[in-house]
Amino acid sequence: MIIGVGIDVAEIDRFAGALTRTPQLARRLFLPTELTLPDGERRGTASLAARFAAKEALAKALGAPAGLRWTDAEVYVEDNGRPRLRVQGTVAARAAELGVRSWHVSLSHDAGVASAVVIAEG
């Protein structure tokens, strides 16, 4: 049963500008593991924008309640390249409240826009 669906887009240049203007923003939005690639290189802005869109889409799938912490949701990639969500704290509590048992996430970026869709399944 689908509990919620969220979708979001982020303009990559605008997101890059926000990161430049507010250097601590990346640490407020992402866990250290989200900021780097598996080889240790810093993740590109388009990829970070897609992850930000996924967190926004996740909040929408949960009904956009107040009090969710950005770093209580982690977007990671399985060895096969499939994006996944790992939740804890405030996000896990809201998901449990709604009966969410699994997540589906899709990320994309093209033509200056990053997008994400999140489906919360019970």
Side-chain angles (χ1 to χ4, degrees):
M1 172 173 81
I2 293 180
I3 306 279
V5 177
I7 185 169
D8 196 68
V9 298
E11 187 180 340
I12 296 168
D13 286 344
R14 185 174 175 202
F15 186 74
L19 291 176
T20 300
R21 283 189 309 278
T22 312
Q24 60 276 55
L25 181 61
R27 287 192 310 268
R28 290 198 317 247
L29 296 175
F30 303 107
L31 293 167
T33 54
E34 293 176 296
L35 294 171
T36 57
L37 296 166
D39 66 5
E41 280 190 53
R42 181 159 172 81
R43 190 173 294 283
T45 305
S47 180
L48 289 176
R51 279 157 174 70
F52 175 71
K55 292 181 183 212
E56 286 277 357
L58 168 64
K60 291 172 182 176
L62 294 175
L68 296 181
R69 291 184 54 214
W70 295 108
T71 54
D72 281 348
E74 177 186 8
V75 180
Y76 69 98
V77 179
E78 293 180 330
D79 291 338
N80 63 9
R82 181 179 176 191
R84 303 286 297 182
L85 288 170
R86 187 175 2 250
V87 300
Q88 63 182 355
T90 59
V91 177
R94 177 63 175 166
E97 198 177 286
L98 296 174
V100 177
R101 303 189 101 172
S102 63
W103 302 98
H104 305 276
V105 60
S106 179
L107 307 174
S108 185
H109 47 79
D110 189 32
V113 176
S115 62
V117 174
V118 172
I119 299 171
E121 189 175 8

